[in-house]
Short mmCIF file of all heavy atoms in Angstrom, two decimals:
data_model
loop_
_atom_site.label_atom_id
_atom_site.label_comp_id
_atom_site.label_asym_id
_atom_site.label_seq_id
_atom_site.Cartn_x
_atom_site.Cartn_y
_atom_site.Cartn_z
N LEU A 97 5.04 -11.25 -12.33
CA LEU A 97 6.32 -10.92 -13.00
C LEU A 97 6.09 -10.49 -14.48
O LEU A 97 6.66 -9.56 -14.97
CB LEU A 97 7.27 -12.17 -12.89
CG LEU A 97 8.68 -11.93 -13.01
CD1 LEU A 97 9.06 -10.88 -11.79
CD2 LEU A 97 9.45 -13.16 -12.85
N MET A 98 5.16 -11.25 -15.23
CA MET A 98 4.94 -10.88 -16.59
C MET A 98 4.37 -9.47 -16.71
O MET A 98 4.66 -8.82 -17.67
CB MET A 98 3.90 -11.91 -17.15
CG MET A 98 4.43 -13.25 -17.60
SD MET A 98 5.96 -13.07 -18.61
CE MET A 98 5.09 -12.41 -20.14
N MET A 99 3.60 -9.04 -15.70
CA MET A 99 2.96 -7.76 -15.72
C MET A 99 4.09 -6.65 -15.77
O MET A 99 3.91 -5.53 -16.38
CB MET A 99 2.10 -7.35 -14.53
CG MET A 99 1.01 -8.19 -14.40
SD MET A 99 -0.26 -7.82 -15.54
CE MET A 99 -1.03 -6.39 -14.98
N LEU A 100 5.23 -6.90 -15.27
CA LEU A 100 6.41 -5.93 -15.13
C LEU A 100 7.37 -6.17 -16.39
O LEU A 100 8.15 -5.20 -16.63
CB LEU A 100 7.11 -6.05 -13.89
CG LEU A 100 6.31 -5.91 -12.56
CD1 LEU A 100 7.12 -6.10 -11.31
CD2 LEU A 100 5.67 -4.47 -12.53
N MET A 101 7.26 -7.21 -17.01
CA MET A 101 8.30 -7.48 -18.10
C MET A 101 8.50 -6.48 -19.13
O MET A 101 9.68 -6.12 -19.46
CB MET A 101 7.95 -8.89 -18.74
CG MET A 101 8.54 -10.12 -17.97
SD MET A 101 10.17 -9.97 -17.43
CE MET A 101 10.98 -10.19 -18.93
N PRO A 102 7.46 -5.80 -19.62
CA PRO A 102 7.68 -4.89 -20.77
C PRO A 102 8.55 -3.68 -20.22
O PRO A 102 9.15 -2.94 -21.03
CB PRO A 102 6.25 -4.28 -20.99
CG PRO A 102 5.34 -5.52 -20.68
CD PRO A 102 5.97 -6.14 -19.45
N MET A 103 8.56 -3.55 -18.92
CA MET A 103 9.41 -2.50 -18.30
C MET A 103 10.96 -2.86 -18.38
O MET A 103 11.82 -2.16 -18.39
CB MET A 103 9.05 -2.18 -16.93
CG MET A 103 8.89 -0.84 -16.52
SD MET A 103 8.12 -0.57 -14.97
CE MET A 103 7.81 1.12 -14.92
N ALA A 104 11.05 -4.29 -18.33
CA ALA A 104 12.48 -4.78 -18.15
C ALA A 104 13.10 -4.92 -19.41
O ALA A 104 14.32 -4.89 -19.57
CB ALA A 104 12.49 -6.22 -17.43
N VAL A 105 12.41 -4.96 -20.64
CA VAL A 105 12.91 -5.11 -21.88
C VAL A 105 13.32 -3.79 -22.50
O VAL A 105 12.50 -2.91 -22.53
CB VAL A 105 11.95 -5.88 -22.77
CG1 VAL A 105 12.55 -6.06 -24.15
CG2 VAL A 105 11.59 -7.16 -22.36
N PRO A 106 14.57 -3.61 -22.95
CA PRO A 106 14.96 -2.38 -23.47
C PRO A 106 14.00 -2.12 -24.68
O PRO A 106 13.76 -2.89 -25.40
CB PRO A 106 16.38 -2.59 -23.95
CG PRO A 106 16.87 -3.68 -23.11
CD PRO A 106 15.72 -4.54 -22.84
N HIS A 107 13.65 -0.75 -24.75
CA HIS A 107 12.69 -0.36 -25.87
C HIS A 107 13.21 -0.52 -27.27
O HIS A 107 12.49 -0.79 -28.14
CB HIS A 107 12.25 1.10 -25.51
CG HIS A 107 11.31 1.37 -24.43
ND1 HIS A 107 10.73 2.45 -24.25
CD2 HIS A 107 10.90 0.42 -23.54
CE1 HIS A 107 9.90 2.31 -23.20
NE2 HIS A 107 9.95 1.14 -22.75
N MET A 110 12.17 -3.93 -28.15
CA MET A 110 10.71 -4.07 -28.54
C MET A 110 10.61 -3.37 -29.94
O MET A 110 9.82 -3.95 -30.72
CB MET A 110 9.86 -3.35 -27.60
CG MET A 110 9.75 -4.01 -26.24
SD MET A 110 9.45 -5.70 -26.30
CE MET A 110 7.87 -5.77 -27.12
N TYR A 114 8.55 -4.88 -32.94
CA TYR A 114 7.37 -4.33 -33.62
C TYR A 114 7.62 -3.94 -34.99
O TYR A 114 6.72 -4.05 -35.88
CB TYR A 114 6.95 -3.08 -32.82
CG TYR A 114 6.44 -3.30 -31.42
CD1 TYR A 114 6.72 -2.78 -30.32
CD2 TYR A 114 5.35 -4.28 -31.27
CE1 TYR A 114 6.28 -2.94 -29.09
CE2 TYR A 114 4.83 -4.60 -30.04
CZ TYR A 114 5.24 -3.97 -28.92
OH TYR A 114 4.80 -4.15 -27.67
N THR A 135 0.35 0.52 -25.55
CA THR A 135 -0.35 -0.05 -24.44
C THR A 135 0.50 -1.05 -23.77
O THR A 135 0.44 -1.18 -22.59
CB THR A 135 -1.64 -0.66 -25.04
OG1 THR A 135 -2.42 0.39 -25.67
CG2 THR A 135 -2.45 -1.41 -24.03
N CYS A 136 1.23 -1.87 -24.60
CA CYS A 136 2.06 -2.87 -23.97
C CYS A 136 3.06 -2.29 -23.02
O CYS A 136 3.28 -2.83 -21.97
CB CYS A 136 2.69 -3.63 -25.23
SG CYS A 136 3.57 -5.10 -24.65
N LEU A 137 3.59 -1.15 -23.40
CA LEU A 137 4.66 -0.50 -22.66
C LEU A 137 4.04 0.19 -21.45
O LEU A 137 4.84 0.45 -20.43
CB LEU A 137 5.50 0.48 -23.50
CG LEU A 137 6.16 -0.18 -24.81
CD1 LEU A 137 6.92 0.88 -25.54
CD2 LEU A 137 7.15 -1.28 -24.33
N SER A 138 2.86 0.58 -21.50
CA SER A 138 2.22 1.23 -20.44
C SER A 138 1.64 0.44 -19.30
O SER A 138 1.34 0.84 -18.19
CB SER A 138 1.05 2.26 -20.94
OG SER A 138 1.52 3.26 -21.70
N VAL A 139 1.45 -0.78 -19.78
CA VAL A 139 0.90 -1.86 -18.70
C VAL A 139 1.60 -1.85 -17.39
O VAL A 139 0.99 -1.68 -16.34
CB VAL A 139 0.74 -3.23 -19.30
CG1 VAL A 139 0.47 -4.28 -18.25
CG2 VAL A 139 -0.42 -3.28 -20.35
N PRO A 140 2.90 -2.06 -17.37
CA PRO A 140 3.60 -2.24 -16.09
C PRO A 140 3.42 -1.01 -15.16
O PRO A 140 3.14 -1.24 -14.01
CB PRO A 140 5.08 -2.28 -16.53
CG PRO A 140 5.14 -2.63 -17.90
CD PRO A 140 3.99 -2.18 -18.43
N MET B 27 -1.08 -9.51 -24.08
CA MET B 27 0.37 -9.56 -23.84
C MET B 27 0.98 -10.55 -24.72
O MET B 27 2.18 -10.44 -25.10
CB MET B 27 0.75 -9.78 -22.36
CG MET B 27 0.25 -8.67 -21.39
SD MET B 27 1.35 -7.26 -21.58
CE MET B 27 2.58 -7.56 -20.43
N PHE B 31 3.25 -8.62 -27.04
CA PHE B 31 4.43 -8.58 -26.27
C PHE B 31 5.36 -9.76 -26.62
O PHE B 31 6.48 -9.72 -27.03
CB PHE B 31 4.29 -8.39 -24.79
CG PHE B 31 5.59 -8.36 -23.96
CD1 PHE B 31 6.38 -7.28 -24.14
CD2 PHE B 31 5.87 -9.30 -23.06
CE1 PHE B 31 7.62 -7.23 -23.48
CE2 PHE B 31 7.01 -9.22 -22.31
CZ PHE B 31 7.92 -8.14 -22.41
N TRP B 281 11.08 -0.14 -9.27
CA TRP B 281 10.58 1.20 -9.70
C TRP B 281 9.81 1.87 -8.53
O TRP B 281 9.12 2.84 -8.91
CB TRP B 281 9.55 0.86 -10.87
CG TRP B 281 10.38 0.60 -12.14
CD1 TRP B 281 10.81 1.34 -12.90
CD2 TRP B 281 10.58 -0.79 -12.55
NE1 TRP B 281 11.58 0.71 -14.00
CE2 TRP B 281 11.36 -0.65 -13.74
CE3 TRP B 281 10.40 -1.98 -12.15
CZ2 TRP B 281 11.81 -1.65 -14.55
CZ3 TRP B 281 10.76 -3.14 -12.80
CH2 TRP B 281 11.41 -2.95 -14.03
#
Side-chain angles (χ1 to χ4, degrees):
Chain A
L97 206 56
M98 277 309 289
M99 298 289 282
L100 301 177
M101 278 311 282
M103 226 171 190
V105 177
H107 283 188
M110 291 314 298
Y114 287 130
T135 296
C136 187
L137 302 179
S138 291
V139 162
Chain B
M27 296 288 270
F31 179 65
W281 289 275

